[in-house]
Each structure stands twice: as structure tokens, then as C-alpha cells.
């Protein structure tokens, strides 16, 4: 009963926000409603072979979240923006020249990053007497130890050289700049340079060696967001939005298929059938959240304020001040539905909020999320920056767009915005684009020309 009530409420939220946003399927409130509706539908499909029981607390949490997104959507969509929309239609895309020599330099840097990571994987496997492992097995070994046995991993002391992380951050920053430029040029004049394609492929290989598919998914959602918003500069009519929806649906299907067929090359395998494997990632988190709420007295006492929610920031600060013994590991219990069917250990974005703040005071922490996405989506779409080669509001929003799409899965938003590496990527990408495209450094009118 409660599960079908969730579907009803999510459907109403989706329809209302789709209407408010003038049928803009990329509006943040529409995306948020859609991802939780899809998650609830997956739970319904799983009822054919599992018994999943939901309770009123989960229904109320989702209802409040939908309402908050809807209020922000209504506020920003109801503002008078006629002048802004006129300027938007006059803002045509132009070709961005990314010098070939610059791309070649960063291709070389990416090759160094790939070599250093491969060397690290080999050293780790050798130290654990697994020199006979294949590359995919070495990647799986590193992923397992670094994520689930972090204390043991630190004790081994086998880490890449310090300059590896520096080279990786710089080359990935340039990679995202390249991806932005490639999408812009493809929309503007259907041109993409071969060295730009090589740069992006090498970046994917470097991500692959690090053992996680999530950064590749971030690249995909970054590209989707940039493509959609830049394309609106050419035409923002309802017909064009429908065409873009069809194209992006194809991208989504291809992404899901590639994620499934690449399980093996990441050294992972699953004994479950295809649907249940998808359900663990796309449906089970909602059920796991309900189980968590019914199992624990909330909030759970913490040593530091918002320790689950802001764990990324705490761990960075602790490492810097030498309190390595205070490194905080997320308290993510494994949900064992049955011996036959495991349901993973993720609980949607609400898990950490209610863990820290309980069933009522999670609202202020959550409200920051719809405020950010609604406000900056409005600014990016309706108020373009004049005379800017790369709109860095769009660059940052597109980078964080993945964290909006993944709210059904975990607390990706705060993990991303409080991650110092992401901040470094934004700063380095801005500096690189300023030097490459405008030969200047600075912000606004305060710039030093070269």
C-alpha cells in the first residue's frame, strides 16, 4: 500500500513540475521526481519474487522532499524572464579553438598518469602474492582493499608517488575542459578534433585503472547536461526539447548497457540475474532506507556535528591536522534480505541526513540541495554570461549534475561539494581555460593579460 502511495506522490510531483517548468525534462525538480519514481517502480517489479514492506515514515520523507523541490521550481519558473530569454536566443555558439599542441601536451601527461597507476596496481598485487593476476583482477583487488579494508591498505604503505595525484588532477581538469569544448564545437559546427577524442579516451582509461565506474558516469552526465543547455542556445522550443529527450534517452540506454557489459573488465561479477543486479542499484536503496528507519532510534549519537553527512570534510580536516586515528568511516550496515538475495548497502541520499539529524531536522540540510540546483539552473538557462568562452557556472553545474541524478542512490551532493579534489578541478580548469582561451588570469574585470 505504502509503495503504491509513493508511486502516486512521485507521479503527481513529476507531472506538476513538468508543467511548471514548461515541459523542461532537465529541470532539477523533474529529474528528482523522476529518479525516485523509477526507483519505486523497480520495487514494484521486484514484488514478483520478494516481499518488500514500506512504512509511512518513508512516504512522508519523500513527500516533503518533493514539496521542497516543487516550491523552488515554482519560485524560479514564475519569475519574469522575458528580457533574459530574448538575450538567450541571440546568444549563438561559436567555435572554440583548443590548440593542438596544448592537447598533445596533456595527452602525454595522461599517459604518465596511466603508467604510474598501472605500476601501482602491479606493486600492490606483487606485495600480496598475486603477481599472476590479470589487469582486471588487480583493479578489483585495489578497489576492494582501498574501499573496504582501508586500514589494512594504509598499513601496506603501497601508494602511488605523490606527484601522481597532482598530475591526475591537472590532466582530469583539462579533460573536462576538453569535453566542454568538444560538445560546444560539435553543436556549433559539427567538428571535433582527433586529439580531443584521444584525450577523452585516455581519461577514461585512467579512470578505469582507478577501479570505479562512477567517474566515467560523471563524465557522461556532464556531457549530457552541457549538450542540452548549450543546444538550447540554438533553439529552446518544445519541439527541440522533445528531440533532445529522444537523443538523451538513447545515451542513457547505451550507458546502462555498457555498464553491464563492462562488469568483467573491472574484475567484478554477479551471481544474480540481470534484473536483480539492476534492482540492487536502482530500487533496493529505497527499501534499505525504510528498513534503516524501522531498525534504529534516530538520530544516532555522533561525536561531531553531522558526522555522516559531512564525513568527506571531516576526514580531509583530520588528515591535515594529523588526527589520522579520527578518520571517519561511514556507518553503512549491509542489508541481508535473505541468503539468496542480497540488497546492497546504500540507502538513498536521506540516509546520512536522518542518521545525523533524525526524522525531522534533516529538512534544512536537504533544502540546500534543491536551492542550489534550482537557482543555478535558472541562472544558466535564462541568464547566460556575455563574452565568456566557457560559462563556468554551467561547467560546475554540469559537473555536479551527476550528484543530482544519484540522489536516489546515496549522499553524492555533499560528498562532491565538500571534496577538496573537486574544488581543485574547478580552480585548475578555470585557470587553464583562462590561459588557453583568453591569455589572462583573474575574475571578472580584475584580470591580468598576458
Amino acid at each position: 500500500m505504502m509503495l503504491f502511495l509513493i508511486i502516486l506522490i512521485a507521479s503527481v510531483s513529476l507531472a506538476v513540475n513538468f508543467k511548471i517548468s514548461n515541459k523542461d525534462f532537465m529541470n532539477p525538480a523533474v529529474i528528482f521526481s523522476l529518479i525516485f519514481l523509477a526507483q519505486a517502480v523497480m520495487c514494484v517489479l521486484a514484488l514478483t519474487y520478494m516481499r518488500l514492506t514500506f512504512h509511512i515514515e518513508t512516504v512522508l520523507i519523500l513527500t516533503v522532499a518533493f514539496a521542497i523541490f516543487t516550491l523552488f521550481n515554482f519560485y524560479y519558473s514564475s519569475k519574469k524572464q522575458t528580457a533574459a530569454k530574448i538575450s538567450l536566443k541571440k546568444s549563438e555558439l561559436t567555435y572554440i579553438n583548443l590548440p593542438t599542441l596544448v592537447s598533445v601536451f596533456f595527452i602525454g601527461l595522461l599517459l604518465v598518469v596511466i603508467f604510474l597507476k598501472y605500476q601501482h596496481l602491479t606493486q600492490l598485487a606483487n606485495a600480496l602474492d598475486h603477481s599472476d593476476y590479470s589487469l582486471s583482477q588487480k583493479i578489483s583487488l585495489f578497489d576492494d582493499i582501498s574501499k573496504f579494508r582501508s586500514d589494512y591498505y594504509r598499513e601496506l604503505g603501497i601508494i602511488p608517488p605523490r606527484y601522481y595525484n597532482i598530475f591526475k588532477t591537472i590532466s582530469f581538469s583539462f579533460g573536462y575542459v576538453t569535453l566542454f569544448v568538444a560538445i560546444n564545437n560539435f553543436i556549433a559546427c559539427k567538428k571535433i578534433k582527433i586529439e580531443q577524442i584521444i584525450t577523452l579516451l585516455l581519461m577514461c582509461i585512467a579512470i578505469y585503472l582507478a577501479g570505479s565506474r562512477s567517474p566515467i558516469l560523471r563524465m557522461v552526465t556532464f556531457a549530457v547536461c552541457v549538450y542540452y543547455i548549450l543546444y538550447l542556445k540554438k533553439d529552446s522550443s518544445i519541439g527541440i526539447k522533445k528531440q533532445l529527450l529522444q537523443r538523451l534517452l538513447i545515451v542513457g540506454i547505451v550507458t546502462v548497457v555498457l555498464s553491464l557489459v563492462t562488469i568483467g573488465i573491472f574484475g567484478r561479477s554477479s551471481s544474480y540475474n540481470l534484473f536483480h543486479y539492476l534492482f540492487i542499484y536502482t530500487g533496493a536503496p529505497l527499501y534499505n532506507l525504510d528498513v534503516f528507519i524501522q531498525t534504529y532510534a534516530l538520530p544516532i549519537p555522533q561525536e561531531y556535528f553531522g558526522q555522516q553527512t559531512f564525513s568527506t570534510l571531516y576526514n580531509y580536516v583530520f588528515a591535515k591536522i594529523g588526527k589520522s586515528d579520527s578518520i571517519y568511516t561511514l556507518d553503512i550496515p549491509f542489508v541481508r534480505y535473505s541468503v539468496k538475495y542480497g540488497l546492497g548497502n546504500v540507502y538513498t541520499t536521506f540516509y546520512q541526513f536522518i542518521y545525523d539529524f533524525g526524522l525531522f531536522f534533516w529538512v534544512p540540510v536537504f533544502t540546500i540541495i534543491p536551492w542550489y540546483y534550482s537557482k543555478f539552473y535558472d541562472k544558466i538557462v535564462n541568464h547566460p554570461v556575455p563574452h565568456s568562452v566557457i560559462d563556468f557556472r554551467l561547467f560546475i553545474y554540469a559537473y555536479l549534475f551527476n550528484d543530482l541524478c544519484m540522489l536516489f542512490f546515496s549522499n553524492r551532493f555533499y560528498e562532491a561539494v565538500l571534496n577538496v579534489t573537486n574544488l581543485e578541478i574547478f580552480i585548475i580548469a578555470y585557470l587553464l581555460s583562462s590561459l588557453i582561451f583568453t591569455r589572462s588570469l583573474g575574475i571578472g574585470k580584475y584580470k591580468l593579460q598576458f
Side-chain angles (χ1 to χ4, degrees):
M1 175 62 183
M2 293 300 170
L3 180 56
F4 289 97
L5 184 57
I6 291 173
I7 290 178
L8 175 61
I9 295 171
S11 299
V12 171
S13 177
L14 177 61
V16 169
N17 283 290
F18 194 60
K19 175 68 175 177
I20 292 174
S21 63
N22 192 29
K23 299 181 179 180
D24 183 359
F25 63 89
M26 288 285 280
N27 180 277
V30 173
I31 295 289
F32 183 78
S33 302
L34 180 61
I35 59 178
F36 277 95
L37 174 60
Q39 192 173 40
V41 169
M42 288 294 289
C43 288
V44 169
L45 296 175
L47 291 176
T48 57
Y49 63 98
M50 290 190 298
R51 183 179 179 181
L52 306 177
T53 303
F54 285 82
H55 300 81
I56 189 63
E57 292 89 344
T58 303
V59 177
L60 292 177
I61 286 173
L62 290 177
T63 301
V64 171
F66 291 143
I68 295 172
F69 259 101
T70 302
L71 288 173
F72 278 109
N73 184 23
F74 179 78
Y75 173 75
Y76 287 107
S77 296
S78 62
K79 292 166 64 178
K80 294 183 181 295
Q81 299 166 336
T82 304
K85 289 181 179 179
I86 292 174
S87 64
L88 175 66
K89 291 181 180 179
K90 291 182 179 179
S91 179
E92 297 182 358
L93 294 181
T94 57
Y95 180 82
I96 301 175
N97 181 35
L98 181 58
T100 299
L101 286 178
V102 174
S103 293
V104 170
F105 171 80
F106 281 98
I107 286 173
L109 188 61
L110 278 166
L111 289 172
V112 172
V113 169
I114 291 171
F115 171 77
L116 291 174
K117 187 59 185 180
Y118 178 79
Q119 188 179 51
H120 169 243
L121 293 173
T122 301
Q123 290 173 347
L124 183 63
N126 292 343
L128 298 174
D129 295 325
H130 294 306
S131 57
D132 58 332
Y133 269 17
S134 65
L135 178 58
S136 61
Q137 289 174 316
K138 291 177 182 177
I139 292 172
S140 179
L141 176 66
F142 163 74
D143 185 64
D144 177 71
I145 293 178
S146 61
K147 286 183 178 178
F148 305 111
R149 293 186 285 169
S150 56
D151 291 339
Y152 178 57
Y153 178 62
R154 286 194 294 269
E155 289 175 3
L156 289 173
I158 301 175
I159 59 176
R162 187 169 184 176
Y163 53 86
Y164 163 79
N165 289 324
I166 297 174
F167 290 169
K168 178 183 174 183
T169 303
I170 294 174
S171 60
F172 277 26
S173 302
F174 179 78
Y176 274 103
V177 171
T178 300
L179 183 55
F180 191 104
V181 170
I183 294 169
N184 178 91
N185 292 347
F186 179 78
I187 297 173
C189 55
K190 297 293 188 296
K191 289 183 180 179
I192 301 179
K193 292 182 177 180
I194 185 64
E195 63 269 16
Q196 294 171 7
I197 296 175
I198 294 173
T199 299
L200 297 175
L201 288 176
L202 289 176
M203 185 173 169
C204 289
I205 293 173
I207 292 172
Y208 161 65
L209 292 177
S212 176
R213 291 172 292 178
S214 296
I216 294 180
L217 181 59
R218 185 180 293 278
M219 287 182 65
V220 172
T221 54
F222 178 93
V224 164
C225 185
V226 171
Y227 179 82
Y228 177 80
I229 293 177
L230 290 184
Y231 208 98
L232 291 183
K233 289 190 175 185
K234 296 180 63 176
D235 190 343
S236 59
S237 65
I238 298 297
I240 289 297
K241 289 180 180 179
K242 289 181 178 179
Q243 291 181 22
L244 290 175
L245 175 59
Q246 294 173 356
R247 296 173 189 175
L248 298 184
L249 281 175
I250 295 173
V251 172
I253 293 172
V254 171
T255 301
V256 171
V257 172
L258 288 176
S259 296
L260 294 174
V261 300
T262 56
I263 294 175
I265 68 171
F266 280 87
R268 302 176 186 179
S269 61
S270 174
S271 59
Y272 303 120
N273 61 54
L274 179 59
F275 173 81
H276 190 74
Y277 181 80
L278 288 173
F279 173 72
I280 289 174
Y281 286 93
T282 60
L286 187 60
Y287 174 73
N288 293 348
L289 174 67
D290 190 277
V291 171
F292 172 72
I293 293 172
Q294 300 304 316
T295 304
Y296 295 89
L298 301 168
I300 297 175
Q302 298 285 288
E303 183 179 358
Y304 302 98
F305 175 82
Q307 198 163 303
Q308 285 279 323
T309 302
F310 310 122
S311 61
T312 301
L313 178 61
Y314 280 123
N315 286 340
Y316 175 79
V317 173
F318 290 155
K320 289 298 181 182
I321 63 178
K323 294 180 63 176
S324 58
D325 56 329
S326 298
I327 294 296
Y328 189 69
T329 303
L330 289 179
D331 182 13
I332 305 180
F334 181 77
V335 177
R336 174 63 68 182
Y337 177 84
S338 67
V339 175
K340 184 178 181 181
Y341 294 111
L343 296 184
N345 59 349
V346 288
Y347 303 80
T348 80
T349 190
F350 300 105
Y351 169 74
Q352 279 122 314
F353 303 157
I354 64 174
Y355 189 112
D356 289 328
F357 306 108
L359 293 172
F360 298 100
F361 296 105
W362 60 271
V363 175
V365 180
F366 172 81
T367 300
I368 294 174
I369 299 175
W371 168 79
Y372 168 78
Y373 285 109
S374 300
K375 179 180 179 63
F376 283 89
Y377 186 78
D378 168 66
K379 284 186 172 294
I380 293 164
V381 172
N382 298 312
H383 304 276
V385 177
H387 313 300
S388 176
V389 178
I390 291 181
D391 184 349
F392 264 85
R393 299 172 312 170
L394 171 56
F395 186 96
I396 295 173
Y397 180 91
Y399 188 91
L400 297 177
F401 179 67
N402 176 263
D403 306 299
L404 169 65
C405 298
M406 295 300 290
L407 290 179
F408 77 94
F409 187 75
S410 65
N411 178 28
R412 292 295 178 87
F413 177 76
Y414 283 106
E415 290 174 2
V417 299
L418 298 177
N419 188 309
V420 175
T421 299
N422 290 337
L423 178 61
E424 291 172 347
I425 286 176
F426 297 153
I427 294 174
I428 294 171
Y430 179 79
L431 294 176
L432 287 175
S433 62
S434 296
L435 290 172
I436 294 170
F437 302 125
T438 63
R439 296 183 180 179
S440 64
L441 283 177
I443 300 176
K445 62 181 181 181
Y446 303 102
K447 289 187 177 181
L448 177 64
Q449 297 290 334
F450 293 94

